[in-house]
Amino acid sequence: MIAEKAPKQMQEEVKAEEKIVYRAEQLNLWYGEDQALKNIDMDIQENEVTAIIGPSGCGKSTYIKTLNRMTEMIPIVRTSGRVYYRNENIFDKKYKVEELRTKVGMVFQKPNPFPKSIYENVVYGPKIHGIKDKKLLDEIVERSLKGAALWDEVKDRLKENAFGLSGGQQQRLCIARCLAVEPDVILMDEPTSALDPISTLKIEELVQELKENYSIVIVTHNMQQAGRISDKTAFFLNGEVVEYDNTDTMFSSPQDKRTEDYISGRFG
Amino acid sequence: MKEPMNHSIRELIAEKSTRRTKWAEIMMPKFFLLCAIISILTTIGIVLTLFSETFSFFREVSILEFITSAEWYPLHNDPSYGIRPLITGTLVIAAIAMCIAIPIGLATAIYLSEYATDKTRRTIKPILEVLAGIPTIVYGFFALTFVTPLLQRFIPDVSIYNALSPGLVVGIMIIPMVASLSEDAMSAVPRSMREGAFALGSTRFEVAVKVVLPAALSGVIASFVLAVSRAIGETMIVTVAGGSNPTTSLDVTSAVQTMTAYIVQISLGDAGYGTTEYYSIYAVGMTLFIFTLLMNVLAHFISKRFREVY
Amino acid sequence: MKAINDTTAQSYPKTQKRSSLSGREIKNKLFKSLFIGATAFSLLVLLVLLVQIFTQGIPYLNWNFFTSFPSRHAEEAGILSAFVGTIWMMAVTAPVSFVLGVGTAIYLEEYAKKNRFTQLIQMNISNLAGVPSIVFGLLGLTIFVRELALGRSVLAGGLTMSLLILPIIVVAAQEAIRAVPGELKEASFAMGATKWQTTYRIVLPAALPGILTGNILALSRAIGETAPLIMIGALTYVAFLPEGLLSQFTVMPIQIYNWTGRPQEEFHFVAAAGIMVLLVMLLLMNSVAVWIRNKFQKRF
């Protein structure tokens, strides 16, 4: 079966080379003495939704946080190996982490809007990157909120504090906040785990729309969600990538016994 | 292909970020570090000031006289600089203060942490804060115009300036400090320890005295030591109500002089810059500083060294 | 013999237990009232102190008191120069201590690495908090008045006070900054914000209420301080208003001290009136601090 697929795959790989957003090579990461990521080799494709699944503590959140170097916030973290973003090694000493994070947005597990107005939340990114033109900012706010499917709900109360929104709305505001700087990639770390089913559905629909313009990496503990929204899925276990394939393939015919066990709900 | 507008924002940002001057990123940390260093410079300034001027003092007065002589007459024609009377006065006042502050402060702490309801606690603690926030000059006024006359009514021997009145008022002033620090220590004792004792049929008083107090002892004692330090450094109450009579006598009904009160007395007088009297306030200040520093270090040591691990 | 012992051993402890329980209960009740009494003592003292001061001070508290300079005659004495002097001193102390204190707190919480130097600064600050205020007066006298030749001026007094209240401000600001949720900082960093942008746009606004509360409380401490300013040589009798940062000055506590020290009883009443002004000012500042604390408390 693998042999059959090979020639076609090779062709695709040549074409895909230009469309690779992220490439991890032998990525290892330690929290103090504990190794959280082991020899990760993984490519992320442009304009696709890549889902990362696996049981708690498997390293999926850690992996996604290395992609914008948020792991650096924890002093005891050590990494080795290389992660290329658009062919540049982000661990390179000269690499500017602020630039990386401008191009790579992140949505967190718990909605974390700033204690400011809805408007100020959205323009935060553009403002810190030097955009001051009021008209342009207004435009960005409208476009980003529309992009996050929140505009109709909040357009009359942009000056109100973001904490007044519901959990689901707050999370969409966080997505809008990401969109405001027009990133290249959006990283989502279990974005729906703190939300009710209806809000979850809205975010899932939104992810489908966003993939037109953005590359999305989403960590989820919910396999059904991965199945519903992603193009590719990686299964993490104990810090290793057990299997990484097209979502349909993985869910219908997993190659690895452990993937099969996990997908069929035997653990995790 | 993406919408053209998207590109313009992304490009705009990329363009601005290359142009942007990052002076704040470089300068602000340095500025904050400078602020932090000023606090260190303050300490160094204090130590250097005290040392150098004390050194000038000891060029004129022998250090032996300073430590051993029992007489402090800096303004006499034949001046004598023995620090003992000032230390005696300071310690007498501190001792009286602690006689008030320890029992009342500790009892307040026990009441607040073991007996009082949340509501009572929320009412009483702010009032104690008010008590702690009253300027010392107000306490001094209170000591002189209220406590002293009151004492005179009961003990006729009490003179207008005496050690007893300011001692009591200093004690009142530091009650909130003892109460709040001790209460913090007692509240930190885990509930499970109390529950265990209650389950064995102990009364609230037994739990407080036999379980909570021993468990919180280091914090409680540290609060006493800090309170002593505070009493030793207190200035205005003793200046206003204690008098200016340096003596080694332990008679609390007559006037005394503390180290702090002496410093104030000289500052208010016309001791010229460079005179022995002028330098003497630094020698006394140095002694005071060493006393309080030792107390503070001791308190720190007690609460760190004997910190219970729950 | 053994049998007898056994019966006593069985019956005796029971009665003892019962009687001791009631004894223990009495003891519990007794001590509870003692503890309440001790707590009430502080409140009683506060009450007596306030009543004493208000009954003495109120007759002297009139408009003239606010608009007059000190005088040899108790009826004509006023607090104007001391009040204005206090305001002048605060105009120096408030900004200086705010910038230094908050700057130090930001450094310690946001920038400092966890090393010995940071520990040293932290320990140094808690030690400074325990240094008697009069020692700060000696520092101010030597450094500001003499070495920097600022003289016995508003500036020298204000700077000395800034250093005195610095530890309080630093500790309060550190607590406020530490209370800002990590998620907010993470969100900002993830947007590509730099450290300073995150500190300035996210951390400081969120910590501001706590910082302000600490600052106001620290300033109210400075307003009531007397001893260090006596050291600096703030005058006790001032019949003029400060004209600039280098003018001589007096402050309310020193004026009160001066009146308290007079032998004539009328001046004690004037002092009481002065104390009332001081206390009302402190009460106002504390109320503002508490108001800020309550208004912004439950934001996260």
Side-chain angles (χ1 to χ4, degrees):
Chain A
M1 193 167 151
I2 294 169
E4 275 177 24
K5 260 172 87 177
K8 198 178 155 203
Q9 220 173 25
M10 288 246 292
Q11 276 183 350
E12 271 179 356
E13 262 176 28
V14 175
K15 220 174 86 190
E17 196 66 35
E18 298 143 35
K19 299 188 75 184
I20 289 175
V21 185
Y22 269 110
R23 162 164 285 174
E25 285 177 359
Q26 291 297 303
L27 171 65
N28 286 284
L29 183 143
W30 294 265
Y31 290 110
E33 293 302 306
D34 302 323
Q35 187 162 11
L37 294 178
K38 295 171 192 159
N39 299 327
I40 310 277
D41 291 300
M42 211 173 130
D43 291 351
I44 306 280
Q45 303 287 329
E46 193 174 73
N47 290 35
E48 281 191 350
V49 177
T50 307
I52 316 281
I53 60 168
S56 309
C58 66
K60 55 190 194 298
S61 269
T62 305
Y63 165 72
I64 199 176
K65 282 183 175 162
T66 51
L67 296 183
N68 64 348
R69 282 175 54 182
M70 286 300 280
T71 43
E72 282 171 13
M73 308 274 294
I74 308 158
I76 56 166
V77 160
R78 248 169 348 111
T79 49
S80 76
R82 293 161 299 280
V83 173
Y84 294 97
Y85 166 69
R86 300 279 181 198
N87 295 323
E88 281 182 274
N89 184 3
I90 62 169
F91 292 142
D92 205 276
K93 278 220 167 67
K94 276 181 279 177
Y95 200 94
K96 286 213 181 81
V97 70
E98 284 87 15
E99 276 176 30
L100 173 71
R101 290 176 185 160
T102 309
K103 292 180 203 144
V104 180
M106 184 168 224
V107 177
F108 293 80
Q109 202 164 352
K110 218 179 105 203
N112 56 357
F114 299 126
K116 298 170 183 279
S117 70
I118 294 168
Y119 184 93
E120 284 298 324
N121 262 279
V122 179
V123 299
Y124 184 76
K127 270 192 175 171
I128 57 172
H129 293 110
I131 295 177
K132 296 191 186 93
D133 181 0
K134 178 84 173 78
K135 259 179 79 182
L136 185 56
L137 288 175
D138 287 348
E139 232 178 275
I140 291 174
V141 168
E142 184 173 345
R143 188 143 31 87
S144 309
L145 286 171
K146 277 180 176 163
L150 192 60
W151 175 252
D152 291 333
E153 292 160 61
V154 300
K155 63 181 175 205
D156 300 321
R157 46 177 177 143
L158 292 175
K159 298 288 169 206
E160 281 173 34
N161 196 298
F163 283 16
L165 298 174
S166 74
Q169 288 174 324
Q170 287 189 9
Q171 194 62 302
R172 275 181 282 146
L173 177 62
C174 292
I175 293 174
R177 187 172 64 186
C178 271
L179 299 183
V181 290
E182 286 299 339
D184 179 23
V185 184
I186 300 176
L187 308 174
M188 297 184 164
D189 185 5
E190 303 197 24
T192 60
S193 66
L195 304 181
D196 61 273
I198 294 171
S199 307
T200 302
L201 184 67
K202 279 192 180 157
I203 302 262
E204 286 182 9
E205 286 170 0
L206 185 56
V207 169
Q208 288 299 307
E209 284 170 35
L210 290 175
K211 126 186 165 176
E212 301 290 319
N213 291 315
Y214 307 94
S215 317
I216 295 172
V217 185
I218 180 166
V219 168
T220 173
H221 59 257
N222 181 335
M223 277 170 295
Q224 284 75 32
Q225 184 170 65
R228 282 195 298 269
I229 61 175
S230 70
D231 301 298
K232 287 209 172 62
T233 299
F235 172 55
F236 273 56
L237 188 64
N238 298 328
E240 288 174 274
V241 184
V242 173
E243 197 164 345
Y244 179 35
D245 211 331
N246 288 327
T247 302
D248 296 341
T249 321
M250 181 127 122
F251 277 80
S252 56
S253 51
Q255 305 289 311
D256 195 291
K257 180 74 171 61
R258 290 170 294 175
T259 316
E260 197 184 335
D261 287 350
Y262 182 72
I263 291 172
S264 56
R266 245 167 264 171
F267 72 94
Chain B
M1 263 292 130
K2 285 162 193 172
E3 302 160 47
M5 265 319 268
N6 286 353
H7 266 290
S8 78
I9 297 291
R10 199 184 287 172
E11 276 162 12
L12 200 60
I13 286 173
E15 188 190 326
K16 297 233 181 208
S17 79
T18 50
R19 261 205 333 228
R20 196 173 56 201
T21 50
K22 299 266 176 102
W23 70 270
E25 290 308 318
I26 299 159
M27 293 313 292
M28 292 320 281
K30 291 190 175 138
F31 173 71
F32 296 139
L33 176 63
L34 189 72
C35 293
I37 286 176
I38 283 180
S39 73
I40 299 231
L41 288 182
T42 307
T43 304
I44 295 176
I46 288 174
V47 172
L48 277 187
T49 300
L50 292 178
F51 254 106
S52 68
E53 306 291 55
T54 303
F55 187 72
S56 307
F57 175 73
F58 283 131
R59 273 201 302 228
E60 285 159 49
V61 176
S62 95
I63 194 161
L64 206 66
E65 179 191 340
F66 187 70
I67 295 172
T68 57
S69 165
E71 287 178 334
W72 183 264
Y73 295 127
L75 302 178
H76 272 213
N77 288 333
D78 178 21
S80 163
Y81 290 96
I83 186 86
R84 250 167 60 201
L86 295 183
I87 292 183
T88 309
T90 304
L91 292 184
V92 164
I93 298 235
I96 299 170
M98 293 318 286
C99 288
I100 291 285
I102 287 182
I104 296 182
L106 187 58
T108 306
I110 294 177
Y111 175 69
L112 288 179
S113 116
E114 303 304 311
Y115 289 89
T117 59
D118 249 14
K119 207 179 148 207
T120 324
R121 211 186 340 250
R122 275 203 302 272
T123 328
I124 292 179
K125 286 193 96 172
I127 299 179
L128 286 178
E129 273 174 42
V130 170
L131 207 55
I134 288 181
T136 55
I137 179 66
V138 179
Y139 278 116
F141 175 83
F142 183 64
L144 183 71
T145 64
F146 183 80
V147 178
T148 300
L150 192 70
L151 288 172
Q152 279 171 328
R153 215 181 293 169
F154 295 103
I155 317 168
D157 285 350
V158 170
S159 54
I160 176 87
Y161 297 115
N162 61 76
L164 190 56
S165 167
L168 293 175
V169 175
V170 171
I172 290 168
M173 183 194 79
I174 55 183
I175 287 172
M177 184 178 175
V178 174
S180 118
L181 290 178
S182 297
E183 200 232 323
D184 286 349
M186 290 165 72
S187 303
V189 174
R191 180 180 286 272
S192 59
M193 282 178 75
R194 292 189 182 86
E195 279 166 354
F198 278 125
L200 292 172
S202 308
T203 62
R204 209 161 263 280
F205 173 69
E206 285 163 344
V207 171
V209 174
K210 292 184 184 155
V211 178
V212 179
L213 201 53
L217 199 62
S218 66
V220 171
I221 291 181
S223 83
F224 296 164
V225 178
L226 284 177
V228 174
S229 162
R230 185 72 195 280
I232 288 175
E234 170 42 41
T235 309
M236 292 321 289
I237 301 175
V238 292
T239 304
V240 169
S244 46
N245 175 32
T247 169
T248 49
S249 143
L250 296 178
D251 176 15
V252 296
T253 59
S254 57
V256 290
Q257 187 166 42
T258 63
M259 293 189 269
T260 50
Y262 171 73
I263 298 176
V264 169
Q265 185 198 0
I266 296 301
S267 314
L268 285 172
D270 45 10
Y273 177 68
T275 60
T276 314
E277 286 144 67
Y278 173 81
Y279 289 128
S280 73
I281 62 175
Y282 289 92
V284 174
M286 181 81 166
T287 316
L288 176 69
F289 180 70
I290 291 173
F291 263 77
T292 54
L293 186 69
L294 285 179
M295 290 289 174
N296 293 342
V297 170
L298 181 66
H300 184 75
F301 176 76
I302 291 174
S303 67
K304 270 272 146 61
R305 178 72 176 73
F306 298 108
R307 185 176 297 282
E308 290 78 12
V309 183
Y310 301 122
Chain C
M1 178 97 162
K2 203 185 173 210
I4 295 168
N5 262 355
D6 273 352
T7 49
T8 46
Q10 272 167 9
S11 59
Y12 190 55
K14 269 187 190 165
T15 51
Q16 192 195 35
K17 209 173 186 179
R18 193 174 302 138
S19 72
S20 84
L21 183 66
S22 63
R24 287 163 56 208
E25 275 171 351
I26 291 169
K27 207 169 164 193
N28 185 32
K29 288 234 166 68
L30 185 77
F31 273 95
K32 184 182 177 183
S33 23
L34 267 180
F35 295 148
I36 292 179
T39 310
F41 174 79
S42 306
L43 311 186
L44 182 74
V45 169
L46 182 62
L47 192 71
V48 169
L49 186 148
L50 292 179
V51 167
Q52 160 89 357
I53 283 165
F54 276 69
T55 47
Q56 290 187 345
I58 280 180
Y60 281 80
L61 202 62
N62 49 38
W63 187 244
N64 275 341
F65 186 69
F66 289 98
T67 55
S68 307
F69 288 107
S71 159
R72 275 181 296 142
H73 307 288
E75 305 76 41
E76 293 165 14
I79 202 161
L80 179 66
S81 50
F83 186 82
V84 175
T86 292
I87 303 288
W88 267 95
M89 194 187 73
M90 283 302 116
V92 174
T93 303
V96 172
S97 61
F98 180 86
V99 170
L100 284 183
V102 177
T104 306
I106 293 175
Y107 176 76
L108 287 174
E109 290 302 314
E110 299 293 320
Y111 286 94
K113 295 192 175 64
K114 298 251 175 297
N115 57 20
R116 285 223 138 153
F117 178 66
T118 309
Q119 266 182 338
L120 177 76
I121 295 177
Q122 193 73 66
M123 230 179 67
N124 175 57
I125 286 164
S126 53
N127 269 327
L128 273 181
V131 172
S133 59
I134 196 161
V135 173
F136 278 93
L138 287 170
L139 174 77
L141 174 64
T142 319
I143 304 289
F144 297 129
V145 176
R146 299 220 182 280
E147 296 297 326
L148 298 178
L150 300 178
R152 300 169 179 276
S153 62
V154 171
L155 190 57
L159 291 178
T160 307
M161 278 302 169
S162 305
L163 295 183
L164 175 70
I165 61 174
L166 192 59
I168 310 176
I169 293 183
V170 172
V171 171
Q174 272 187 285
E175 271 170 23
I177 290 172
R178 226 176 288 149
V180 176
E183 300 106 68
L184 296 184
K185 284 197 257 175
E186 267 190 359
S188 172
F189 284 124
M191 298 291 300
T194 59
K195 190 139 213 173
W196 167 239
Q197 285 173 326
T198 304
T199 307
Y200 173 71
R201 288 171 185 265
I202 301 298
V203 177
L204 282 185
L208 199 61
I211 292 176
L212 283 182
T213 304
N215 259 271
I216 296 173
L217 293 179
L219 284 179
S220 70
R221 161 99 195 272
I223 284 187
E225 272 293 345
T226 321
L229 294 175
I230 293 181
M231 307 299 311
I232 295 294
L235 302 176
T236 53
Y237 185 93
V238 176
F240 55 85
L241 297 180
E243 283 165 353
L245 290 179
L246 293 175
S247 297
Q248 293 200 312
F249 72 114
T250 190
V251 291
M252 288 197 283
I254 289 187
Q255 186 64 66
I256 292 165
Y257 169 66
N258 178 257
W259 285 328
T260 307
R262 296 287 185 91
Q264 304 94 322
E265 198 178 22
E266 302 86 71
F267 273 106
H268 290 176
F269 300 152
V270 180
I275 288 174
M276 283 175 67
V277 177
L278 185 63
L279 288 184
V280 167
M281 203 162 161
L282 294 180
L283 188 71
L284 282 178
M285 290 175 71
N286 278 276
S287 312
V288 171
V290 169
W291 178 77
I292 292 175
R293 184 160 59 192
N294 291 343
K295 183 161 161 54
F296 295 98
Q297 203 164 34
K298 297 180 187 91
R299 287 215 313 174
F300 305 114

